[in-house]
Amino acid sequence: MEERLKVLRSHLAPFPPGASQSGLVSQTTSAQPREGHADVARPVSVTYHARTGVNSREDYERLHRRSIQDPAGFWADFASDFHWERPWRRDHARWNFDRRCGRVETAFFEGGRTNIAYNCLDRHIASGRGRQPCFLWEGNDIGVDRRMTFEEVRDEVCRLANWLKSVGVRKGDAVAIYMPMVCELPIAMLACARLGAVHTVVFGGFSAESLAQRCADCRSKVVITASGGARATKVVPLKQITDKAVQLASKDGFQIETVLVLEHPSVPKRECPWRQGRDVWYQDVVPRQSSNCPVEWVNSEHPLFLLYTSGSTGKPKGVVHSTGGYMVAAAVTTRYVFDLQPGDVYWCTADCGWITGHSYLAYGPLLCGARSVIYEGVPSHPTPARCWQIVEKYKVRQFYTAPTLIRALEAHDDKFVLGSDRSSLAVLGTVGEPINPRAWNWFFEVVGEGRCPIVDTWWQTETGAAMITPLPGAWPCVPGSATLPFFGVAPVLLDDKGKELHGATEGILALKQAWPSAIRTVKGDHKRFEETYFATFPGYYFTGDGCRRDANGCYTITGRVDDVINVSGHRVGTAEVEAALASHGACTEAAVVGFDHDIKGQGIYAFVTLHDGHEFSDAIRKDLVKTVREQIGAFAAPDVIHWAPGLPKTRSGKIMRRILRKIAAKKDDELGDISTLADPSIVQGIIELRGK
Ligand code: PRX
């Protein structure tokens, strides 16, 4: 605890020079030309009429005020859109965020019984939408696609649920899902939910060790996987990895008993390793099951899923989400944040292995009756135009992605974007990391043709749903700012002693009121849950993020508090230095870490990748340093610029700073496991450019 407080104490930087203010009451501007501007975080007003009816800050404030004053009543109004087998109690919302007052807990819709799979599928079928498509699947290879209607998905969910029952899966049991992005992945999630079983999706980029560890932690005796997965020109041998995971788990004393394997064309049956008695082909057993499977009604607080997430310490935590509260929050945020209406074509590029894929690819869009695009491959395959070709093909209205993808696509010629018709796009969204204004402006101007609001959504695996986010059309967007709290969200900024700060300021972001999709516990370790999230500042949920608030009440996330570097007593947010570097015309992306510095305590070490057509040179190096000096201050100027052919990222696009810290410290022999990187060979490439 003391260690964490030390980190926090060092986090509280003064308001950085030139920090962008939302300026919602000041002048707003429309799209800027691309050259020479793009790093300015000026508010941008877009004329957009939201079908939700929230079209001004006043509209929003009325709803937000009520959501804070009367959470039970506010959320009950939305929950009544769903089917509840038994209604919730009037006083259904309850929480305690203060350990000193007893067990930390949250409950919403207590007394109610429901089923999220029923609400995602059967409810729409009952209202006549059964023959409408809900999944628009696009394969890795051009020309390979599949549409599934609500009815078809429901039938397949029932068949798979019946098979799960046949192998002994019961309400409350955990089931691991380790699959590529095919329709059967969300179908498997829904099949578990139909039975009241608890799914834990393990992202297909995780190693056998990670899969084994997760299965053992949640005692999942069944794994649903595929023979392989296709990612651009690569094949991911999922079954082979699963076999290794089963072995590793058994060494640790846990037996995975059944492996259900979907045959995927990337690894045909005859090439797939097989273990008789344990492995079962999906195509052999599931189609034979009945498409009728009675729904298991569960209490609102019954766990829906577990999702493992890494923190700054210890092994990954199994974040537990509930059924009723999660369902309502996922649906309401999807509807308001993306202005999503039934029948809309919506594309979230996240993999179901992450929380974004759970809430905004699978559950949220289905609950709203929308059509969700599911893309199997990588967005730049076979060319950087693929993303926009998919937008044109399906006439995507809402497009939700991560800044890292935007930056990767921005590095290529605009012709890749401009070659496809994007007139269907109405709302753009980003999530997962701070977005630098330059990438934001490119997304806004080039992709969205200057007419689509961008919703920069801040949230976490633990929050289950978007927490701080613009609502399209309700107030101006501000590049890099998540702007205002969603309904029911009560953010505060704290100093290192836990004192609430007021007005325009910077501090540690915490939440002082529960919301329906809040994490309920950490699987098997409620004490760890309380210590991780509620011990630092008793009475508050600790987010681990630093944040600025401007005079208009708008929030800008500055990055994890544990990524802060202290240089000569000046605290520098790595995200800020990175944004400054990325604003340079030659720079595609930058990652900054601290390193031990004899004089300054810590120095700033920047890994920089350049756009096609730019050569690594001293002139660019000097210019990059100058850009940072100009935008933040001399104290934030990088001591080292280390050219990089690319940055070491996980398959979900997160930069692995742990590796960069070791390279910066010249501890090349201590890099640890790099097998989960999208491209492990990048590490050697970076090392070779040291000192160049
Ligand atoms: O630091 C924040 C960053 O991502 C963290 C949560 O990561 P994860 O649990 O993997 O969930 C990612 C998808 C919801 C946060 O603590 N983060 C998330 N969204 C944003 C963000 N940072 C800045 N801006 C965002 N919009």
Side-chain angles (χ1 to χ4, degrees):
M1 186 54 51
E2 196 36 44
E3 210 29 53
R4 185 183 302 154
L5 286 173
K6 250 193 253 160
V7 175
L8 297 182
R9 250 166 235 141
S10 71
H11 166 72
L12 293 174
F15 223 96
S20 70
Q21 295 281 293
S22 78
L24 293 192
V25 289
S26 65
Q27 189 195 357
T28 59
T29 174
S30 57
Q32 299 285 311
R34 195 178 173 202
E35 290 301 317
H37 60 79
D39 202 46
V40 184
R42 248 175 297 179
V44 177
S45 277
V46 187
T47 309
Y48 179 90
H49 184 80
R51 295 162 297 172
T52 54
V54 179
N55 278 298
S56 66
R57 188 147 171 185
E58 291 70 42
D59 291 341
Y60 153 81
E61 271 168 5
R62 209 174 318 115
L63 285 166
H64 188 261
R65 212 174 302 119
R66 175 158 180 247
S67 72
I68 297 297
Q69 288 166 356
D70 174 23
F74 179 87
W75 290 108
D77 286 353
F78 289 103
S80 53
D81 287 351
F82 299 103
H83 175 83
W84 295 79
E85 192 63 8
R86 193 174 74 199
W88 56 87
R89 287 203 309 258
R90 233 176 99 80
D91 60 338
H92 65 87
R94 171 174 73 74
W95 68 86
N96 170 37
F97 276 8
D98 194 338
R99 299 204 290 175
R100 296 165 304 188
C101 306
R103 184 183 161 88
V104 175
E105 55 191 347
T106 295
F108 274 81
F109 307 109
E110 269 196 317
R113 281 173 85 72
T114 187
N115 184 293
I116 195 169
Y118 181 92
N119 278 297
C120 283
L121 302 166
D122 307 58
R123 183 175 56 103
H124 296 306
I125 295 166
S127 70
R129 262 189 232 129
R131 301 261 160 88
Q132 290 178 13
C134 61
F135 288 162
L136 305 173
W137 180 78
E138 171 80 3
N140 180 60
D141 298 326
I142 288 181
V144 179
D145 55 23
R146 177 185 189 190
R147 278 167 196 251
M148 290 188 83
T149 64
F150 284 100
E151 242 166 47
E152 287 164 346
V153 173
R154 197 262 321 261
D155 289 354
E156 189 67 4
V157 164
C158 285
R159 284 189 281 263
L160 181 50
N162 279 328
W163 178 83
L164 286 168
K165 276 208 284 201
S166 77
V167 294
V169 173
R170 298 282 172 268
K171 181 173 168 182
D173 291 348
V175 174
I177 303 172
Y178 185 60
M179 296 185 89
M181 282 295 285
V182 291
C183 295
E184 286 80 0
L185 170 42
I187 284 171
M189 294 159 70
L190 290 157
C192 292
R194 194 168 189 97
L195 297 179
V198 184
H199 58 74
T200 182
V201 184
V202 179
F203 173 58
F206 276 119
S207 63
E209 286 81 0
S210 308
L211 177 60
Q213 190 185 44
R214 285 157 171 76
C215 289
D217 188 74
C218 67
R219 320 305 289 170
S220 152
K221 292 187 177 157
V222 177
V223 178
I224 306 177
T225 188
S227 54
R231 307 271 307 162
T233 53
K234 284 195 212 142
V235 171
V236 188
L238 291 170
K239 173 61 167 55
Q240 208 178 306
I241 301 169
T242 305
D243 286 353
K244 194 167 163 211
V246 176
Q247 245 180 21
L248 289 168
S250 75
K251 266 195 212 145
D252 284 346
F254 180 70
Q255 211 50 54
I256 294 168
E257 291 168 3
T258 311
V259 180
L260 182 68
V261 190
L262 179 81
E263 186 186 11
H264 184 276
S266 60
V267 178
K269 251 185 187 181
R270 60 179 186 283
E271 289 171 22
C272 187
W274 204 251
R275 177 72 187 278
Q276 214 59 46
R278 181 199 68 193
D279 300 344
V280 184
W281 283 112
Y282 183 107
Q283 282 92 338
D284 286 351
V285 294
V286 176
R288 285 204 233 125
Q289 298 287 331
S290 157
S291 58
N292 195 341
C293 176
V295 169
E296 181 76 43
W297 301 109
V298 296
N299 288 333
S300 180
E301 282 302 317
H302 183 74
L304 171 64
F305 66 87
L306 288 170
L307 196 54
Y308 284 83
T309 185
S310 311
S312 34
T313 55
K315 61 181 173 71
K317 298 181 283 287
V319 170
V320 178
H321 279 290
S322 73
T323 299
Y326 175 83
M327 173 173 81
V328 174
V332 175
T333 50
T334 307
R335 181 157 130 209
Y336 280 84
V337 174
F338 300 103
D339 189 28
L340 194 78
Q341 295 287 313
D344 280 0
V345 179
Y346 163 93
W347 182 18
C348 164
T349 63
D351 189 288
C352 280
W354 307 105
I355 190 69
T356 309
H358 282 61
S359 305
Y360 298 114
L361 186 144
Y363 289 117
L366 284 173
L367 288 164
C368 291
R371 304 167 196 209
S372 192
V373 174
I374 304 174
Y375 176 45
E376 179 181 33
V378 285
S380 53
H381 173 71
T383 73
R386 185 68 185 278
C387 240
W388 321 117
Q389 289 163 349
I390 295 174
V391 167
E392 176 177 310
K393 176 173 173 181
Y394 296 101
K395 299 196 171 37
V396 171
R397 184 182 161 93
Q398 295 93 347
F399 177 70
Y400 189 33
T401 193
T404 192
L405 178 89
I406 297 166
R407 288 192 291 264
L409 294 176
E410 182 210 353
H412 298 279
D413 199 300
D414 286 355
K415 72 174 189 218
F416 290 111
V417 186
L418 302 176
S420 303
D421 178 5
R422 284 154 289 112
S423 56
S424 61
L425 288 174
V427 178
L428 303 174
T430 71
V431 60
E433 49 179 322
I435 179 163
N436 51 308
R438 180 196 163 92
W440 193 101
N441 284 323
W442 180 82
F443 196 34
F444 177 74
E445 291 157 18
V446 180
V447 176
E449 300 170 329
R451 57 180 172 76
C452 306
I454 296 181
V455 290
D456 175 353
T457 60
W458 172 84
W459 57 294
Q460 308 177 304
T461 303
E462 294 87 341
T463 69
M467 302 296 280
I468 302 183
T469 171
L471 296 183
W475 55 82
C477 305
V478 188
S481 174
T483 70
L484 295 168
F486 191 74
F487 308 136
V489 177
V492 289
L493 297 187
L494 303 176
D495 69 7
D496 64 341
K497 309 233 162 38
K499 191 165 119 311
E500 283 189 28
L501 304 166
H502 299 283
T505 186
E506 177 163 8
I508 296 152
L509 179 64
L511 303 168
K512 70 170 178 186
Q513 185 164 316
W515 59 100
S517 58
I519 174 175
R520 296 306 201 255
T521 187
V522 165
K523 173 71 182 168
D525 200 345
H526 197 73
K527 188 158 171 271
R528 188 173 178 205
F529 160 76
E530 292 188 343
E531 274 168 7
T532 309
Y533 303 106
F534 299 94
T536 320
F537 303 117
Y540 300 94
Y541 167 82
F542 170 72
T543 67
D545 279 314
C547 186
R548 280 199 302 272
R549 183 174 50 217
D550 71 14
N552 297 298
C554 285
Y555 293 84
T556 296
I557 309 297
T558 52
R560 298 290 301 187
V561 292
D562 29 19
D563 276 340
V564 164
I565 307 174
N566 192 327
V567 186
S568 306
H570 295 292
R571 276 130 304 171
V572 180
T574 49
E576 281 174 332
V577 182
E578 286 164 3
L581 290 167
S583 73
H584 188 280
C587 174
T588 307
E589 216 172 1
V592 168
V593 295
F595 74 106
D596 289 348
H597 191 287
D598 283 348
I599 299 162
K600 304 178 183 178
Q602 264 194 313
I604 297 181
Y605 197 109
F607 294 86
V608 172
T609 67
L610 297 183
H611 284 294
D612 294 349
H614 289 278
E615 297 290 335
F616 304 136
S617 72
D618 276 346
I620 297 185
R621 181 179 270 129
K622 275 194 194 134
D623 216 35
L624 284 165
V625 173
K626 186 164 151 257
T627 305
V628 179
R629 281 172 179 266
E630 281 172 2
Q631 290 192 19
I632 305 175
F635 67 89
D639 299 274
V640 181
I641 301 257
H642 186 142
W643 304 122
L647 297 176
K649 291 183 184 170
T650 61
R651 294 259 308 278
S652 68
K654 285 245 189 255
I655 296 169
M656 284 188 86
R657 283 164 210 284
R658 171 178 68 75
I659 293 172
L660 292 177
R661 279 192 204 103
K662 293 291 181 194
I663 298 176
K666 300 200 175 77
K667 292 180 178 163
D668 300 353
D669 51 344
E670 290 177 26
L671 296 179
D673 179 16
I674 58 168
S675 66
T676 54
L677 292 177
D679 178 7
S681 71
I682 268 184
V683 172
Q684 194 49 37
I686 298 174
I687 291 172
E688 278 165 14
L689 285 171
R690 180 184 283 129
K692 295 277 159 55

